[in-house]
Amino acid sequence: MYRILNHTEIDSHSWDACVSTSVNASLYGKSWYLNILAGKWKGIVKGNYEAVFPLISKRKFGMNYIYQPMGIPSVAWYSATMPDPLDYVMLFNHISSHYDLAEFNILERTYPSMSQPPLSGNHVRVKQCLEFQERDFLNLKKQFSRGHKHAIRSATRQSTTICKEHTATNFWKVATLSGVYKSLPGYYQNRPTMEALINTALSNKTGQIWTSFDGENPLSSAFLIEANNILYFIFLFTLEKGRSNCVNHLLVQEVIKYNCKRFQTLDFGGSNIEKIALFNRGFGTKDHFYMAIRSGRMCRLISKLKGFNIRDNIYQAKS
């Protein structure tokens, strides 16, 4: 009933059709997206692609571990119906048998209620989404917080301009000069992967780049991808002057204004940093929850390995 396949063995058309028609359809499950960001990933296929689950792993110091790479904050059993609890039993049994560690996030709405979860260390995480059920931008703007409305007025008074761009030139100008890009190795170490993702999404017309300017100088830039009637915030970089000028408040407003009639949901992702979550919530978003799975039968040994911190190599969901 279940098969474990290398990504090169997977029928990408059948896989993506399963993901697209799933009750929890997501960009993060699409084969082309996984091929770029997840490297040599594997997939669990149930029956004739009735349900699928991506397994993203690495090997280091002779140990195998499941992790969340940058840009894939959560995974799930993708199925047209709610997954059977036995699907999760199979998943966790396979992980326990073949991997030394597991750190990954599952969309909570697909995680069955279990009196005895098969893996220890489970806890809930949160992301923010803005639903476009109200397609009128002016009504959506009424949901913005008072602080966000003030910040938008401030950015407007400073003659900030926002442009939807067709190339990533200004995006990379901002990214490489931003403090976040310089301080977090996950970005500059993975720049080729980021470039491949952005170039692919722009070429197949699913990617959007938005940049804020002070005159001709870019201050912040965002990259988003659309899939299954959802628009996903993937990257956002800002220069220090941009933060002080509140340019991101105006940038996100323009993203919402442009896309509110085109999509059902704007998925902001989430963050362990409360300041970022508050920024997202200021646009009238609602919290959506998912399950973080943390387990490892060799955690004590790993903690003793000098110079090796598994969390440095595991993407903590932006999310």
Side-chain angles (χ1 to χ4, degrees), residues 228-274:
N228 298 111
N229 211 22
I230 301 173
L231 184 63
Y232 296 82
F233 243 107
I234 307 297
F235 301 121
L236 174 62
F237 294 102
T238 312
L239 303 184
E240 188 57 41
K241 183 178 179 180
R243 287 194 184 87
S244 61
N245 289 357
C246 303
V247 296
N248 286 337
H249 295 78
L250 184 59
L251 184 152
V252 174
Q253 174 186 265
E254 294 306 300
V255 168
I256 294 171
K257 184 176 181 180
Y258 178 83
N259 289 291
C260 63
K261 289 184 170 63
R262 304 176 69 233
F263 300 100
Q264 179 179 335
T265 303
L266 174 57
D267 187 333
F268 281 79
S271 176
N272 295 329
I273 302 173
E274 182 61 20

mmCIF file of all heavy atoms in Angstrom, residues 228-274:
data_model
loop_
_atom_site.group_PDB
_atom_site.id
_atom_site.type_symbol
_atom_site.label_atom_id
_atom_site.label_comp_id
_atom_site.label_asym_id
_atom_site.label_seq_id
_atom_site.Cartn_x
_atom_site.Cartn_y
_atom_site.Cartn_z
ATOM 1 N N ASN A 228 -2.367 27.302 -6.067
ATOM 2 C CA ASN A 228 -3.651 26.813 -5.553
ATOM 3 C C ASN A 228 -4.470 27.903 -4.878
ATOM 4 O O ASN A 228 -5.021 27.710 -3.785
ATOM 5 C CB ASN A 228 -3.437 25.644 -4.580
ATOM 6 C CG ASN A 228 -2.773 24.445 -5.247
ATOM 7 O OD1 ASN A 228 -1.633 24.126 -4.949
ATOM 8 N ND2 ASN A 228 -3.470 23.812 -6.169
ATOM 9 N N ASN A 229 -4.514 29.064 -5.525
ATOM 10 C CA ASN A 229 -5.329 30.188 -5.060
ATOM 11 C C ASN A 229 -4.832 30.786 -3.740
ATOM 12 O O ASN A 229 -5.566 31.476 -3.043
ATOM 13 C CB ASN A 229 -6.802 29.784 -4.914
ATOM 14 C CG ASN A 229 -7.748 30.937 -5.172
ATOM 15 O OD1 ASN A 229 -7.397 31.915 -5.827
ATOM 16 N ND2 ASN A 229 -8.954 30.839 -4.650
ATOM 17 N N ILE A 230 -3.574 30.491 -3.407
ATOM 18 C CA ILE A 230 -2.941 31.064 -2.217
ATOM 19 C C ILE A 230 -1.677 31.788 -2.644
ATOM 20 O O ILE A 230 -0.943 31.300 -3.506
ATOM 21 C CB ILE A 230 -2.579 29.965 -1.193
ATOM 22 C CG1 ILE A 230 -3.828 29.201 -0.763
ATOM 23 C CG2 ILE A 230 -1.888 30.570 0.033
ATOM 24 C CD1 ILE A 230 -3.531 27.999 0.122
ATOM 25 N N LEU A 231 -1.430 32.945 -2.056
ATOM 26 C CA LEU A 231 -0.211 33.701 -2.303
ATOM 27 C C LEU A 231 0.662 33.596 -1.062
ATOM 28 O O LEU A 231 0.233 33.927 0.046
ATOM 29 C CB LEU A 231 -0.529 35.166 -2.600
ATOM 30 C CG LEU A 231 0.643 36.073 -2.979
ATOM 31 C CD1 LEU A 231 1.297 35.611 -4.276
ATOM 32 C CD2 LEU A 231 0.171 37.527 -3.117
ATOM 33 N N TYR A 232 1.907 33.103 -1.243
ATOM 34 C CA TYR A 232 2.800 32.828 -0.116
ATOM 35 C C TYR A 232 3.910 33.865 -0.038
ATOM 36 O O TYR A 232 4.621 34.101 -1.021
ATOM 37 C CB TYR A 232 3.456 31.453 -0.276
ATOM 38 C CG TYR A 232 2.504 30.284 -0.235
ATOM 39 C CD1 TYR A 232 1.796 29.900 -1.367
ATOM 40 C CD2 TYR A 232 2.328 29.548 0.931
ATOM 41 C CE1 TYR A 232 0.928 28.820 -1.341
ATOM 42 C CE2 TYR A 232 1.466 28.464 0.969
ATOM 43 C CZ TYR A 232 0.767 28.101 -0.165
ATOM 44 O OH TYR A 232 -0.078 27.030 -0.135
ATOM 45 N N PHE A 233 4.074 34.478 1.139
ATOM 46 C CA PHE A 233 5.237 35.309 1.403
ATOM 47 C C PHE A 233 6.429 34.388 1.615
ATOM 48 O O PHE A 233 6.432 33.579 2.544
ATOM 49 C CB PHE A 233 5.020 36.153 2.661
ATOM 50 C CG PHE A 233 5.004 37.626 2.405
ATOM 51 C CD1 PHE A 233 3.822 38.346 2.464
ATOM 52 C CD2 PHE A 233 6.177 38.291 2.106
ATOM 53 C CE1 PHE A 233 3.809 39.711 2.228
ATOM 54 C CE2 PHE A 233 6.179 39.659 1.862
ATOM 55 C CZ PHE A 233 4.984 40.370 1.927
ATOM 56 N N ILE A 234 7.461 34.498 0.789
ATOM 57 C CA ILE A 234 8.627 33.621 0.906
ATOM 58 C C ILE A 234 9.803 34.353 1.547
ATOM 59 O O ILE A 234 10.367 33.894 2.539
ATOM 60 C CB ILE A 234 9.043 33.051 -0.466
ATOM 61 C CG1 ILE A 234 7.846 32.387 -1.166
ATOM 62 C CG2 ILE A 234 10.176 32.051 -0.305
ATOM 63 C CD1 ILE A 234 7.277 31.202 -0.425
ATOM 64 N N PHE A 235 10.196 35.502 0.976
ATOM 65 C CA PHE A 235 11.323 36.264 1.512
ATOM 66 C C PHE A 235 10.955 37.743 1.597
ATOM 67 O O PHE A 235 10.234 38.271 0.748
ATOM 68 C CB PHE A 235 12.564 36.143 0.617
ATOM 69 C CG PHE A 235 13.052 34.739 0.408
ATOM 70 C CD1 PHE A 235 13.125 34.197 -0.871
ATOM 71 C CD2 PHE A 235 13.453 33.960 1.482
ATOM 72 C CE1 PHE A 235 13.583 32.911 -1.071
ATOM 73 C CE2 PHE A 235 13.910 32.671 1.295
ATOM 74 C CZ PHE A 235 13.977 32.137 0.015
ATOM 75 N N LEU A 236 11.482 38.418 2.618
ATOM 76 C CA LEU A 236 11.356 39.868 2.746
ATOM 77 C C LEU A 236 12.631 40.394 3.385
ATOM 78 O O LEU A 236 12.982 39.996 4.494
ATOM 79 C CB LEU A 236 10.142 40.247 3.596
ATOM 80 C CG LEU A 236 9.982 41.736 3.929
ATOM 81 C CD1 LEU A 236 9.810 42.554 2.650
ATOM 82 C CD2 LEU A 236 8.798 41.956 4.871
ATOM 83 N N PHE A 237 13.335 41.274 2.667
ATOM 84 C CA PHE A 237 14.565 41.878 3.183
ATOM 85 C C PHE A 237 14.391 43.388 3.233
ATOM 86 O O PHE A 237 13.768 43.984 2.346
ATOM 87 C CB PHE A 237 15.757 41.518 2.302
ATOM 88 C CG PHE A 237 16.112 40.052 2.323
ATOM 89 C CD1 PHE A 237 15.745 39.219 1.275
ATOM 90 C CD2 PHE A 237 16.803 39.511 3.388
ATOM 91 C CE1 PHE A 237 16.060 37.874 1.284
ATOM 92 C CE2 PHE A 237 17.135 38.164 3.417
ATOM 93 C CZ PHE A 237 16.764 37.340 2.366
ATOM 94 N N THR A 238 14.975 43.997 4.255
ATOM 95 C CA THR A 238 14.809 45.431 4.466
ATOM 96 C C THR A 238 16.106 46.056 4.942
ATOM 97 O O THR A 238 16.793 45.487 5.794
ATOM 98 C CB THR A 238 13.724 45.702 5.528
ATOM 99 O OG1 THR A 238 12.568 44.927 5.248
ATOM 100 C CG2 THR A 238 13.344 47.181 5.553
ATOM 101 N N LEU A 239 16.442 47.222 4.384
ATOM 102 C CA LEU A 239 17.578 47.984 4.879
ATOM 103 C C LEU A 239 17.159 48.778 6.112
ATOM 104 O O LEU A 239 15.974 49.009 6.344
ATOM 105 C CB LEU A 239 18.096 48.931 3.787
ATOM 106 C CG LEU A 239 18.520 48.269 2.465
ATOM 107 C CD1 LEU A 239 19.099 49.307 1.524
ATOM 108 C CD2 LEU A 239 19.526 47.148 2.715
ATOM 109 N N GLU A 240 18.131 49.217 6.890
ATOM 110 C CA GLU A 240 17.832 49.902 8.142
ATOM 111 C C GLU A 240 16.999 51.158 7.901
ATOM 112 O O GLU A 240 16.060 51.451 8.663
ATOM 113 C CB GLU A 240 19.136 50.275 8.860
ATOM 114 C CG GLU A 240 18.925 50.835 10.265
ATOM 115 C CD GLU A 240 18.148 49.889 11.161
ATOM 116 O OE1 GLU A 240 18.393 48.662 11.110
ATOM 117 O OE2 GLU A 240 17.282 50.388 11.917
ATOM 118 N N LYS A 241 17.321 51.917 6.856
ATOM 119 C CA LYS A 241 16.543 53.119 6.559
ATOM 120 C C LYS A 241 15.105 52.761 6.236
ATOM 121 O O LYS A 241 14.173 53.500 6.580
ATOM 122 C CB LYS A 241 17.171 53.892 5.397
ATOM 123 C CG LYS A 241 16.456 55.207 5.086
ATOM 124 C CD LYS A 241 17.127 55.973 3.964
ATOM 125 C CE LYS A 241 16.381 57.266 3.675
ATOM 126 N NZ LYS A 241 17.013 58.047 2.584
ATOM 127 N N GLY A 242 14.923 51.616 5.584
ATOM 128 C CA GLY A 242 13.575 51.171 5.255
ATOM 129 C C GLY A 242 12.754 50.875 6.503
ATOM 130 O O GLY A 242 11.560 51.193 6.566
ATOM 131 N N ARG A 243 13.397 50.273 7.502
ATOM 132 C CA ARG A 243 12.680 49.998 8.746
ATOM 133 C C ARG A 243 12.246 51.290 9.425
ATOM 134 O O ARG A 243 11.117 51.415 9.885
ATOM 135 C CB ARG A 243 13.572 49.197 9.700
ATOM 136 C CG ARG A 243 13.769 47.751 9.304
ATOM 137 C CD ARG A 243 14.374 46.946 10.445
ATOM 138 N NE ARG A 243 14.649 45.583 10.033
ATOM 139 C CZ ARG A 243 15.765 45.173 9.449
ATOM 140 N NH1 ARG A 243 16.727 46.056 9.211
ATOM 141 N NH2 ARG A 243 15.925 43.920 9.093
ATOM 142 N N SER A 244 13.164 52.245 9.499
ATOM 143 C CA SER A 244 12.832 53.500 10.174
ATOM 144 C C SER A 244 11.768 54.281 9.421
ATOM 145 O O SER A 244 11.025 55.070 10.016
ATOM 146 C CB SER A 244 14.092 54.360 10.350
ATOM 147 O OG SER A 244 14.664 54.679 9.087
ATOM 148 N N ASN A 245 11.668 54.059 8.108
ATOM 149 C CA ASN A 245 10.672 54.762 7.295
ATOM 150 C C ASN A 245 9.360 53.989 7.158
ATOM 151 O O ASN A 245 8.458 54.421 6.445
ATOM 152 C CB ASN A 245 11.223 55.040 5.893
ATOM 153 C CG ASN A 245 12.297 56.106 5.879
ATOM 154 O OD1 ASN A 245 12.607 56.700 6.913
ATOM 155 N ND2 ASN A 245 12.885 56.346 4.723
ATOM 156 N N CYS A 246 9.263 52.823 7.806
ATOM 157 C CA CYS A 246 8.030 52.007 7.777
ATOM 158 C C CYS A 246 7.630 51.588 6.365
ATOM 159 O O CYS A 246 6.438 51.430 6.055
ATOM 160 C CB CYS A 246 6.861 52.763 8.429
ATOM 161 S SG CYS A 246 7.162 53.272 10.134
ATOM 162 N N VAL A 247 8.629 51.361 5.507
ATOM 163 C CA VAL A 247 8.307 51.082 4.103
ATOM 164 C C VAL A 247 7.613 49.739 3.924
ATOM 165 O O VAL A 247 6.820 49.561 2.982
ATOM 166 C CB VAL A 247 9.579 51.129 3.226
ATOM 167 C CG1 VAL A 247 10.177 52.523 3.218
ATOM 168 C CG2 VAL A 247 10.601 50.103 3.679
ATOM 169 N N ASN A 248 7.873 48.770 4.817
ATOM 170 C CA ASN A 248 7.251 47.461 4.649
ATOM 171 C C ASN A 248 5.748 47.486 4.896
ATOM 172 O O ASN A 248 5.008 46.680 4.331
ATOM 173 C CB ASN A 248 7.910 46.429 5.570
ATOM 174 C CG ASN A 248 9.278 46.015 5.067
ATOM 175 O OD1 ASN A 248 9.577 46.142 3.884
ATOM 176 N ND2 ASN A 248 10.125 45.532 5.964
ATOM 177 N N HIS A 249 5.299 48.393 5.733
ATOM 178 C CA HIS A 249 3.859 48.530 5.948
ATOM 179 C C HIS A 249 3.171 48.941 4.649
ATOM 180 O O HIS A 249 2.144 48.379 4.274
ATOM 181 C CB HIS A 249 3.580 49.567 7.040
ATOM 182 C CG HIS A 249 4.072 49.175 8.398
ATOM 183 N ND1 HIS A 249 5.399 49.275 8.758
ATOM 184 C CD2 HIS A 249 3.406 48.678 9.482
ATOM 185 C CE1 HIS A 249 5.536 48.863 10.015
ATOM 186 N NE2 HIS A 249 4.360 48.496 10.476
ATOM 187 N N LEU A 250 3.790 49.917 3.958
ATOM 188 C CA LEU A 250 3.221 50.374 2.693
ATOM 189 C C LEU A 250 3.359 49.302 1.618
ATOM 190 O O LEU A 250 2.444 49.088 0.813
ATOM 191 C CB LEU A 250 3.915 51.661 2.248
ATOM 192 C CG LEU A 250 3.385 52.331 0.977
ATOM 193 C CD1 LEU A 250 1.908 52.690 1.125
ATOM 194 C CD2 LEU A 250 4.201 53.578 0.640
ATOM 195 N N LEU A 251 4.489 48.593 1.614
ATOM 196 C CA LEU A 251 4.710 47.531 0.626
ATOM 197 C C LEU A 251 3.649 46.438 0.758
ATOM 198 O O LEU A 251 3.044 46.022 -0.238
ATOM 199 C CB LEU A 251 6.115 46.953 0.791
ATOM 200 C CG LEU A 251 6.582 45.895 -0.218
ATOM 201 C CD1 LEU A 251 8.102 45.940 -0.376
ATOM 202 C CD2 LEU A 251 6.165 44.484 0.183
ATOM 203 N N VAL A 252 3.405 45.980 1.975
ATOM 204 C CA VAL A 252 2.418 44.905 2.164
ATOM 205 C C VAL A 252 1.021 45.400 1.806
ATOM 206 O O VAL A 252 0.212 44.658 1.229
ATOM 207 C CB VAL A 252 2.458 44.383 3.611
ATOM 208 C CG1 VAL A 252 1.330 43.377 3.848
ATOM 209 C CG2 VAL A 252 3.802 43.716 3.893
ATOM 210 N N GLN A 253 0.722 46.660 2.126
ATOM 211 C CA GLN A 253 -0.582 47.198 1.722
ATOM 212 C C GLN A 253 -0.767 47.098 0.215
ATOM 213 O O GLN A 253 -1.834 46.697 -0.272
ATOM 214 C CB GLN A 253 -0.735 48.656 2.156
ATOM 215 C CG GLN A 253 -2.023 49.292 1.614
ATOM 216 C CD GLN A 253 -2.139 50.760 1.912
ATOM 217 O OE1 GLN A 253 -2.772 51.128 2.903
ATOM 218 N NE2 GLN A 253 -1.557 51.613 1.063
ATOM 219 N N GLU A 254 0.261 47.443 -0.557
ATOM 220 C CA GLU A 254 0.149 47.397 -2.012
ATOM 221 C C GLU A 254 0.038 45.956 -2.515
ATOM 222 O O GLU A 254 -0.659 45.696 -3.500
ATOM 223 C CB GLU A 254 1.351 48.103 -2.652
ATOM 224 C CG GLU A 254 1.402 49.601 -2.380
ATOM 225 C CD GLU A 254 0.105 50.292 -2.767
ATOM 226 O OE1 GLU A 254 -0.274 50.224 -3.957
ATOM 227 O OE2 GLU A 254 -0.535 50.878 -1.878
ATOM 228 N N VAL A 255 0.712 45.022 -1.851
ATOM 229 C CA VAL A 255 0.570 43.601 -2.211
ATOM 230 C C VAL A 255 -0.875 43.166 -2.017
ATOM 231 O O VAL A 255 -1.458 42.481 -2.873
ATOM 232 C CB VAL A 255 1.524 42.733 -1.356
ATOM 233 C CG1 VAL A 255 1.183 41.246 -1.515
ATOM 234 C CG2 VAL A 255 2.968 42.986 -1.757
ATOM 235 N N ILE A 256 -1.466 43.550 -0.888
ATOM 236 C CA ILE A 256 -2.854 43.189 -0.602
ATOM 237 C C ILE A 256 -3.802 43.836 -1.613
ATOM 238 O O ILE A 256 -4.708 43.181 -2.147
ATOM 239 C CB ILE A 256 -3.221 43.603 0.835
ATOM 240 C CG1 ILE A 256 -2.419 42.779 1.846
ATOM 241 C CG2 ILE A 256 -4.723 43.457 1.084
ATOM 242 C CD1 ILE A 256 -2.550 43.260 3.282
ATOM 243 N N LYS A 257 -3.581 45.109 -1.876
ATOM 244 C CA LYS A 257 -4.450 45.837 -2.802
ATOM 245 C C LYS A 257 -4.429 45.208 -4.188
ATOM 246 O O LYS A 257 -5.473 45.069 -4.847
ATOM 247 C CB LYS A 257 -3.990 47.305 -2.884
ATOM 248 C CG LYS A 257 -4.866 48.192 -3.741
ATOM 249 C CD LYS A 257 -4.367 49.637 -3.672
ATOM 250 C CE LYS A 257 -5.232 50.573 -4.489
ATOM 251 N NZ LYS A 257 -4.726 51.975 -4.413
ATOM 252 N N TYR A 258 -3.256 44.796 -4.656
ATOM 253 C CA TYR A 258 -3.106 44.221 -5.998
ATOM 254 C C TYR A 258 -3.701 42.820 -6.071
ATOM 255 O O TYR A 258 -4.261 42.427 -7.107
ATOM 256 C CB TYR A 258 -1.625 44.191 -6.374
ATOM 257 C CG TYR A 258 -1.331 43.582 -7.719
ATOM 258 C CD1 TYR A 258 -1.444 44.335 -8.890
ATOM 259 C CD2 TYR A 258 -0.925 42.248 -7.825
ATOM 260 C CE1 TYR A 258 -1.166 43.775 -10.122
ATOM 261 C CE2 TYR A 258 -0.647 41.682 -9.061
ATOM 262 C CZ TYR A 258 -0.764 42.445 -10.211
ATOM 263 O OH TYR A 258 -0.493 41.888 -11.440
ATOM 264 N N ASN A 259 -3.593 42.048 -4.988
ATOM 265 C CA ASN A 259 -3.909 40.620 -5.059
ATOM 266 C C ASN A 259 -5.231 40.204 -4.430
ATOM 267 O O ASN A 259 -5.632 39.048 -4.571
ATOM 268 C CB ASN A 259 -2.789 39.813 -4.379
ATOM 269 C CG ASN A 259 -1.506 39.811 -5.194
ATOM 270 O OD1 ASN A 259 -1.428 39.213 -6.256
ATOM 271 N ND2 ASN A 259 -0.486 40.499 -4.683
ATOM 272 N N CYS A 260 -5.929 41.111 -3.755
ATOM 273 C CA CYS A 260 -7.109 40.697 -2.994
ATOM 274 C C CYS A 260 -8.230 40.155 -3.871
ATOM 275 O O CYS A 260 -9.072 39.381 -3.393
ATOM 276 C CB CYS A 260 -7.615 41.833 -2.110
ATOM 277 S SG CYS A 260 -8.191 43.298 -2.981
ATOM 278 N N LYS A 261 -8.270 40.536 -5.125
ATOM 279 C CA LYS A 261 -9.291 40.007 -6.033
ATOM 280 C C LYS A 261 -8.787 38.822 -6.851
ATOM 281 O O LYS A 261 -9.542 38.230 -7.618
ATOM 282 C CB LYS A 261 -9.774 41.117 -6.973
ATOM 283 C CG LYS A 261 -10.623 42.193 -6.302
ATOM 284 C CD LYS A 261 -11.127 43.201 -7.331
ATOM 285 C CE LYS A 261 -12.175 44.131 -6.717
ATOM 286 N NZ LYS A 261 -11.628 44.942 -5.624
ATOM 287 N N ARG A 262 -7.521 38.473 -6.666
ATOM 288 C CA ARG A 262 -6.918 37.413 -7.482
ATOM 289 C C ARG A 262 -6.747 36.105 -6.728
ATOM 290 O O ARG A 262 -6.649 35.045 -7.339
ATOM 291 C CB ARG A 262 -5.554 37.877 -8.013
ATOM 292 C CG ARG A 262 -5.615 39.187 -8.797
ATOM 293 C CD ARG A 262 -4.239 39.666 -9.216
ATOM 294 N NE ARG A 262 -3.660 38.781 -10.227
ATOM 295 C CZ ARG A 262 -2.476 38.214 -10.133
ATOM 296 N NH1 ARG A 262 -1.732 38.406 -9.048
ATOM 297 N NH2 ARG A 262 -2.020 37.434 -11.084
ATOM 298 N N PHE A 263 -6.699 36.161 -5.395
ATOM 299 C CA PHE A 263 -6.436 34.970 -4.604
ATOM 300 C C PHE A 263 -7.402 34.867 -3.435
ATOM 301 O O PHE A 263 -8.078 35.840 -3.080
ATOM 302 C CB PHE A 263 -4.986 34.968 -4.088
ATOM 303 C CG PHE A 263 -3.969 34.988 -5.178
ATOM 304 C CD1 PHE A 263 -3.332 36.175 -5.530
ATOM 305 C CD2 PHE A 263 -3.663 33.844 -5.896
ATOM 306 C CE1 PHE A 263 -2.405 36.205 -6.555
ATOM 307 C CE2 PHE A 263 -2.737 33.863 -6.920
ATOM 308 C CZ PHE A 263 -2.110 35.045 -7.253
ATOM 309 N N GLN A 264 -7.424 33.709 -2.835
ATOM 310 C CA GLN A 264 -8.285 33.483 -1.686
ATOM 311 C C GLN A 264 -7.583 33.833 -0.381
ATOM 312 O O GLN A 264 -8.212 34.310 0.564
ATOM 313 C CB GLN A 264 -8.718 32.015 -1.644
ATOM 314 C CG GLN A 264 -9.605 31.640 -0.467
ATOM 315 C CD GLN A 264 -10.020 30.183 -0.500
ATOM 316 O OE1 GLN A 264 -10.061 29.562 -1.558
ATOM 317 N NE2 GLN A 264 -10.310 29.622 0.670
ATOM 318 N N THR A 265 -6.259 33.599 -0.331
ATOM 319 C CA THR A 265 -5.525 33.747 0.927
ATOM 320 C C THR A 265 -4.141 34.320 0.673
ATOM 321 O O THR A 265 -3.496 33.979 -0.321
ATOM 322 C CB THR A 265 -5.358 32.376 1.623
ATOM 323 O OG1 THR A 265 -6.641 31.793 1.831
ATOM 324 C CG2 THR A 265 -4.638 32.517 2.955
ATOM 325 N N LEU A 266 -3.692 35.175 1.574
ATOM 326 C CA LEU A 266 -2.297 35.609 1.617
ATOM 327 C C LEU A 266 -1.677 34.969 2.844
ATOM 328 O O LEU A 266 -2.042 35.284 3.983
ATOM 329 C CB LEU A 266 -2.193 37.133 1.699
ATOM 330 C CG LEU A 266 -0.789 37.723 1.892
ATOM 331 C CD1 LEU A 266 0.157 37.276 0.782
ATOM 332 C CD2 LEU A 266 -0.845 39.255 1.947
ATOM 333 N N ASP A 267 -0.756 34.030 2.611
ATOM 334 C CA ASP A 267 -0.105 33.290 3.694
ATOM 335 C C ASP A 267 1.192 34.007 4.066
ATOM 336 O O ASP A 267 2.167 33.967 3.317
ATOM 337 C CB ASP A 267 0.174 31.855 3.229
ATOM 338 C CG ASP A 267 0.692 30.953 4.337
ATOM 339 O OD1 ASP A 267 1.305 31.482 5.283
ATOM 340 O OD2 ASP A 267 0.504 29.723 4.249
ATOM 341 N N PHE A 268 1.199 34.660 5.215
ATOM 342 C CA PHE A 268 2.375 35.396 5.668
ATOM 343 C C PHE A 268 3.455 34.477 6.221
ATOM 344 O O PHE A 268 4.584 34.912 6.423
ATOM 345 C CB PHE A 268 1.989 36.384 6.772
ATOM 346 C CG PHE A 268 1.357 37.653 6.287
ATOM 347 C CD1 PHE A 268 0.022 37.692 5.908
ATOM 348 C CD2 PHE A 268 2.087 38.825 6.216
ATOM 349 C CE1 PHE A 268 -0.570 38.871 5.468
ATOM 350 C CE2 PHE A 268 1.510 40.011 5.781
ATOM 351 C CZ PHE A 268 0.175 40.036 5.405
ATOM 352 N N GLY A 269 3.110 33.220 6.480
ATOM 353 C CA GLY A 269 4.019 32.383 7.244
ATOM 354 C C GLY A 269 3.969 32.831 8.695
ATOM 355 O O GLY A 269 3.002 33.448 9.148
ATOM 356 N N GLY A 270 4.983 32.532 9.440
ATOM 357 C CA GLY A 270 5.003 32.927 10.849
ATOM 358 C C GLY A 270 6.428 33.120 11.297
ATOM 359 O O GLY A 270 7.358 33.100 10.493
ATOM 360 N N SER A 271 6.623 33.294 12.567
ATOM 361 C CA SER A 271 7.967 33.505 13.076
ATOM 362 C C SER A 271 8.009 33.214 14.564
ATOM 363 O O SER A 271 7.011 33.397 15.277
ATOM 364 C CB SER A 271 8.420 34.939 12.818
ATOM 365 O OG SER A 271 9.679 35.177 13.398
ATOM 366 N N ASN A 272 9.179 32.762 15.035
ATOM 367 C CA ASN A 272 9.394 32.633 16.468
ATOM 368 C C ASN A 272 9.603 33.999 17.112
ATOM 369 O O ASN A 272 9.574 34.122 18.335
ATOM 370 C CB ASN A 272 10.628 31.768 16.736
ATOM 371 C CG ASN A 272 10.432 30.348 16.262
ATOM 372 O OD1 ASN A 272 9.325 29.827 16.269
ATOM 373 N ND2 ASN A 272 11.513 29.714 15.832
ATOM 374 N N ILE A 273 9.818 35.019 16.274
ATOM 375 C CA ILE A 273 10.041 36.380 16.767
ATOM 376 C C ILE A 273 8.686 37.075 16.867
ATOM 377 O O ILE A 273 8.008 37.296 15.857
ATOM 378 C CB ILE A 273 10.983 37.159 15.835
ATOM 379 C CG1 ILE A 273 12.323 36.419 15.704
ATOM 380 C CG2 ILE A 273 11.190 38.574 16.341
ATOM 381 C CD1 ILE A 273 13.255 37.012 14.679
ATOM 382 N N GLU A 274 8.279 37.406 18.069
ATOM 383 C CA GLU A 274 6.946 37.951 18.280
ATOM 384 C C GLU A 274 6.732 39.268 17.525
ATOM 385 O O GLU A 274 5.618 39.559 17.067
ATOM 386 C CB GLU A 274 6.705 38.174 19.774
ATOM 387 C CG GLU A 274 5.313 38.690 20.124
ATOM 388 C CD GLU A 274 4.183 37.750 19.715
ATOM 389 O OE1 GLU A 274 4.450 36.545 19.505
ATOM 390 O OE2 GLU A 274 3.036 38.230 19.600
#
